[in-house]
């Protein structure tokens, strides 16, 4: 069983990359689309991430692999989720994080070709907020 979290600013290519990985994708954008009919609606993030967590645990309970697709910028939020995963699954779960380069220029260029565009100020804000994952968060594997 593998839990893979993607980390990076909006528009950098996380969701596109996720489609190449083995596992079930649990996406904050997709859940926003289900709840609000629009992936760009940022209303009630707590509800969105609770659903993501519930779906993640449901997949892992069936011994499936999960790709957790969101920006996941903040260390505190990553550690909280990892601690819950470790408490439930222990060493039977491999926890991997894939970190995408924080290149505001690349994200801006790629954003122009996206169907759902992210405001430039959001991309810049996210780049400033990004806390790079480290092994002491609880990861087994860190990929850049």
């Amino acid at each position: 069983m593998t839990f893979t979290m993607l980390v990076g600013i909006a528009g950098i290519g996380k969701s596109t990359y996720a489609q190449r990985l083995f596992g079930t994708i649990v996406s904050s954008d997709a859940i926003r689309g289900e709840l609000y009919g629009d992936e760009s609606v940022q209303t009630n993030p707590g509800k969105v991430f609770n659903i993501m967590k519930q779906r993640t645990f449901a997949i892992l309970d069936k011994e499936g692999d999960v790709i957790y697709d969101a920006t996941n910028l903040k260390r505190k939020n990553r550690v909280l989720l990892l601690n819950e995963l470790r408490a439930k699954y222990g060493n039977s779960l491999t926890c991997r994080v894939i970190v995408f380069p924080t290149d505001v220029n690349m994200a801006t260029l790629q954003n122009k070709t996206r169907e759902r565009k992210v405001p430039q100020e959001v991309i810049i804000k996210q780049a400033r907020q990004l806390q790079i994952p480290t092994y002491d968060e609880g990861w087994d594997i860190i990929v850049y």
Side-chain angles (χ1 to χ4, degrees), residues 25-41 47-48 51-52 55:
I25 300 170
V26 178
S27 163
S28 59
D29 287 343
I31 292 169
R32 285 185 190 99
E34 291 171 26
L35 292 174
Y36 310 115
D38 183 346
E39 293 181 355
S40 65
V41 173
K47 182 176 184 176
V48 171
I51 293 169
M52 280 189 78
R55 290 183 183 178

Side-chain angles (χ1 to χ4, degrees), residues 66 84 131 138-139:
V66 174
E84 287 186 57
Q131 297 172 322
W139 301 107

Side-chain angles (χ1 to χ4, degrees), residues 68-79:
Y68 194 86
D69 182 12
T71 57
N72 301 303
L73 302 174
K74 296 186 180 174
R75 174 186 170 91
K76 179 181 95 171
N77 297 335
R78 295 189 302 258
V79 169

Side-chain angles (χ1 to χ4, degrees), residues 80-96:
L80 286 172
L81 180 57
L82 276 175
N83 286 342
E84 287 186 57
L85 291 167
R86 293 290 187 200
K88 182 162 186 179
Y89 302 105
N91 292 331
S92 67
L93 180 66
T94 299
C95 293
R96 170 176 68 169

